[in-house]
Amino acid sequence: MAPFNWFNRQHSDQPSAEEETVSSASSPEATAPAVTEPVSEAAPPAVAQDQLAWAKAAYENIRKRKQAEQADASSEPAIESSSEAAESSKDTPDSAPVEVVEPAAIEATEPTVGELDPQLDPQLDPIADVASSQLPFWAKAEADRLERLERLRTEAIAAEPEPSATTESPTAAAEVEPIPDFVLDEAFLWSTEVLAAQGRRPDDVSIEEITWLKRLRQGLDKTRRNLVNQLRAIVGQGPLNQDAVLEIESLLLQADVGIEATDHIIESLQSRLRQEALPPAEAIAYLKQILRDMLDRPLGGSHTLSFVPEKDKLNIWLITGVNGAGKTTTIGKLAHIANKSGYRCLIAAADTFRAAAVQQVKVWGDRSQVEVIANPGKNTDPAAVVFDGIAAAQSRNTELLLVDTAGRLQNKKNLMEELSKIRRIIDKKAPDANVESLLVLDATLGQNGLRQAEVFSEVAKLSGVVLTKLDGTAKGGIALAVVQQLGLPIRFIGAGEGIEDLRPFSSYEFVEALLSG
Ligand SMILES: Nc1nc2c(ncn2[C@@H]2O[C@H](COP(=O)(O)OP(=O)(O)OP(=O)(O)O)[C@@H](O)[C@H]2O)c(=O)[nH]1
């Protein structure tokens, strides 16, 4: 299965027709559109049924592609013993076999509604009386989703067997296995909802995309559970009032959203409240719209085409950030995507402060099969490395030159001078190049990361942010704080140490991962 590629629509920042409507009517004053809310937010049964059909089609398409790949692979001579294969699969975490969980076992691991919402009345058993209209909207949505998931498992896994299976005994059909590397769980259903709500077709969805969305959602799991549980308790009390809004304010601050972004969100909510009381489902949908508008605002308020290097032209991306934020890893991931997307790419190892940093960049260059331009001497002038990198790029018609720069914050003045000198070299040596200056920010640092970003934004003429480590303990609110306080767009997010664990940022997917329980 092809990894993420800049030229296919394997990510969702391209607005679908529906989403375009949303973004053009996306001012907070507009009523939150139902069309882009995943069906789990108490959608009418017909939409839920469509969603189930979509999920089944996506699962079936992925399974057919997987089986075709396996058939191709089995027709090639075996090159690894099973132990070697197990060994090699350890190197690429994404391909590490994920347990194939039988539907019954999935039942056991699927958290019940009570587990999801500890503050909820444990007597509530939405599955038992799903028809009951007395249920709060979120409990009904939860029950709908669990019911859909159950049907998805039974219908999708027991779906029509492949033609090869029908020629064998009738029992063969019943033994049609689920996709070996793929768990058909609640996160799968959520991922298909997010992709379907953005106008994607079930036949163009890949395992990588679903895996990515599951990992993003998992990384924000703790924040989401806390936010959603408490939000539901607040909005479940009826129309939002001022006390409720103040409770939401403290929730946002706990999620690392920061004062400025929180104030903006609260003001938007209150201005809507002055117009009319918000029913619970609309309150959460409206809050999502506010967050999406904030995240898209640095892009001019509407969706933008993917942030991709211009073909047949020199693009120079300066990668800045403090040591440990994930700069080198991000350079390796970007080089990998560029290489797989058919760009001629080069890396310039201009973080010469530590010899180990140059060596580390070379390791990622090998992994992504992209050449690294470096000066072996000690304490080489970074600007000289950039000069050599540009010269090499120009002589080879390179399209993307990734420049690893110094990350030390110890001395802001030196850092400023070094980055300014690099920019002067670029402006002089490659005046026609498209230059981006991306700050790599460790999302787990929360507000501390924001202070780092402010320092860099003063010295490095930043044009965007890469948020890393969203698979870790990040609360996620830093994304809103960065766009609100620095006015910088988030261009990519990293959610893992593997070379595939970087995707273009999608405000829609991020907000769904943050707020869709
Ligand atoms: N879990 C997780 N770890 C990450 C991610 N990105 C980077 N890391 C890890 O964070 C650590 C620092 O990453 P580097 O790329 O070396 O960071 P750097 O900014 O280049 O720092 P220096 O190497 O000191 O210059 C490494 O252990 C990476 O594997 C991510 O998205 N998720």
Side-chain angles (χ1 to χ4, degrees):
M1 191 76 70
F4 171 70
N5 181 310
W6 261 319
F7 292 115
N8 60 19
R9 294 170 56 85
Q10 293 286 319
H11 56 275
S12 56
D13 70 343
Q14 304 286 344
S16 61
E18 294 85 354
E19 203 177 30
E20 194 59 48
T21 317
V22 168
S23 63
S24 57
S26 64
S27 59
E29 289 65 46
T31 51
V35 72
T36 57
E37 293 308 324
V39 289
S40 56
E41 299 294 351
V47 177
Q49 186 51 35
D50 289 348
Q51 178 53 41
L52 181 63
W54 200 100
K56 272 167 55 182
Y59 182 79
E60 198 44 37
N61 286 318
I62 288 174
R63 178 161 67 164
K64 282 183 182 139
R65 262 181 272 156
K66 197 78 184 160
Q67 283 172 340
E69 275 179 11
Q70 284 158 358
D72 293 348
S74 58
S75 61
E76 283 159 16
I79 48 173
E80 286 180 320
S81 68
S82 54
S83 56
E84 282 167 311
E87 198 51 40
S88 68
S89 73
K90 282 201 200 91
D91 300 340
T92 47
D94 278 347
S95 67
V98 173
E99 83 287 1
V100 175
V101 183
E102 288 310 318
I106 294 178
E107 276 310 306
T109 55
E110 191 63 35
T112 62
V113 173
E115 279 171 31
L116 277 179
D117 302 313
Q119 288 89 348
L120 290 176
D121 169 1
Q123 307 313 318
L124 259 186
D125 176 6
I127 307 269
D129 48 358
V130 72
S132 149
S133 57
Q134 280 71 41
L135 283 177
F137 81 95
W138 44 261
K140 186 163 178 345
E142 213 102 314
D144 288 352
R145 177 183 274 172
L146 291 178
E147 191 266 333
R148 266 199 322 280
L149 180 59
E150 191 43 45
R151 285 188 52 201
L152 179 59
R153 284 182 202 130
T154 45
E155 293 171 22
I157 290 180
E160 280 307 303
E162 289 307 303
S164 56
T166 45
T167 53
E168 291 155 31
S169 69
T171 53
E175 287 146 20
V176 174
E177 284 300 307
I179 301 171
D181 297 343
F182 211 58
V183 175
L184 189 54
D185 56 9
E186 203 270 336
F188 171 83
L189 195 58
W190 173 84
S191 306
T192 58
E193 284 176 6
V194 167
L195 292 167
Q198 299 172 80
R200 296 291 300 281
R201 295 195 328 272
D203 57 358
D204 78 1
V205 163
S206 67
I207 280 195
E208 283 86 359
E209 270 189 306
I210 298 275
T211 307
W212 167 261
L213 284 171
K214 287 169 99 170
R215 183 174 297 148
L216 174 64
R217 183 172 185 267
Q218 194 176 359
L220 295 173
D221 210 31
K222 193 157 172 275
T223 304
R224 180 180 62 257
R225 286 172 187 265
N226 186 39
L227 268 178
V228 168
N229 286 347
Q230 302 213 34
L231 269 178
R232 283 174 175 166
I234 294 168
V235 299
Q237 290 154 10
L240 273 188
N241 55 33
Q242 298 313 326
D243 292 347
V245 172
L246 292 178
E247 282 184 67
I248 292 175
E249 183 176 40
S250 66
L251 275 179
L252 293 170
L253 291 171
Q254 287 167 40
D256 272 344
V257 172
I259 299 275
E260 208 172 309
T262 298
D263 287 349
H264 172 79
I265 295 165
I266 294 301
E267 278 158 28
S268 303
L269 267 180
Q270 285 175 321
S271 67
R272 179 66 190 277
L273 280 177
R274 280 192 280 277
Q275 293 165 19
E276 58 174 326
L278 275 181
E282 275 197 50
I284 289 194
Y286 185 66
L287 181 58
K288 288 181 184 178
Q289 190 65 56
I290 295 171
L291 301 189
R292 284 200 294 264
D293 290 344
M294 289 175 73
L295 292 167
D296 288 340
R297 189 168 304 116
L299 306 174
S302 68
H303 293 277
T304 175
L305 282 178
S306 312
F307 178 70
V308 290
E310 188 179 337
K311 273 303 274 180
D312 303 321
K313 184 172 175 88
L314 179 55
N315 300 266
I316 301 176
W317 291 4
L318 291 176
I319 310 298
T320 59
V322 293
N323 297 105
K327 275 195 299 54
T328 315
T329 307
T330 297
I331 285 173
K333 294 173 178 177
L334 285 172
H336 174 68
I337 293 178
N339 193 24
K340 295 291 178 191
S341 302
Y343 282 86
R344 294 182 296 280
C345 183
L346 264 183
I347 297 170
D351 180 0
T352 59
F353 185 70
R354 287 182 319 116
V358 175
Q359 193 44 45
Q360 202 190 355
V361 172
K362 286 181 175 174
V363 167
W364 277 104
D366 291 345
R367 277 188 196 157
S368 54
Q369 295 167 351
V370 171
E371 192 180 339
V372 176
I373 305 292
N375 287 2
K378 276 195 178 303
N379 280 337
T380 309
D381 175 4
V385 177
V386 173
F387 183 90
D388 293 346
I390 294 174
Q394 288 170 332
S395 67
R396 306 174 193 190
N397 285 327
T398 296
E399 292 161 307
L400 178 60
L401 175 62
L402 296 167
V403 180
D404 186 18
T405 65
R408 297 173 311 289
L409 265 183
Q410 287 75 359
N411 183 325
K412 189 166 130 183
K413 185 171 172 297
N414 289 355
L415 180 62
M416 185 186 300
E417 281 168 6
E418 184 171 299
L419 292 174
S420 309
K421 190 174 174 187
I422 285 173
R423 285 305 293 248
R424 284 199 302 275
I425 292 279
I426 291 173
D427 295 343
K428 193 169 172 195
K429 182 86 177 137
D432 300 331
N434 292 341
V435 184
E436 295 288 347
S437 182
L438 301 177
L439 172 70
V440 175
L441 202 50
D442 177 345
T444 61
L445 294 181
Q447 291 303 304
N448 294 334
L450 195 62
R451 276 185 279 284
Q452 281 177 17
E454 284 166 340
V455 171
F456 273 91
S457 68
E458 289 162 27
V459 304
K461 285 198 272 182
L462 295 176
S463 57
V465 171
V466 179
L467 270 189
T468 62
K469 308 187 189 181
L470 272 164
D471 56 307
T473 56
K475 294 181 186 168
I478 181 75
L480 293 151
V482 162
V483 293
Q484 187 66 20
Q485 280 185 230
L486 303 179
L488 290 170
I490 296 171
R491 294 299 194 187
F492 297 95
I493 46 180
E497 299 186 89
I499 200 164
E500 294 276 338
D501 295 333
L502 182 88
R503 284 276 199 254
F505 179 73
S506 156
S507 59
Y508 185 91
E509 291 171 358
F510 185 82
V511 169
E512 288 307 310
L514 198 60
L515 283 181
S516 260

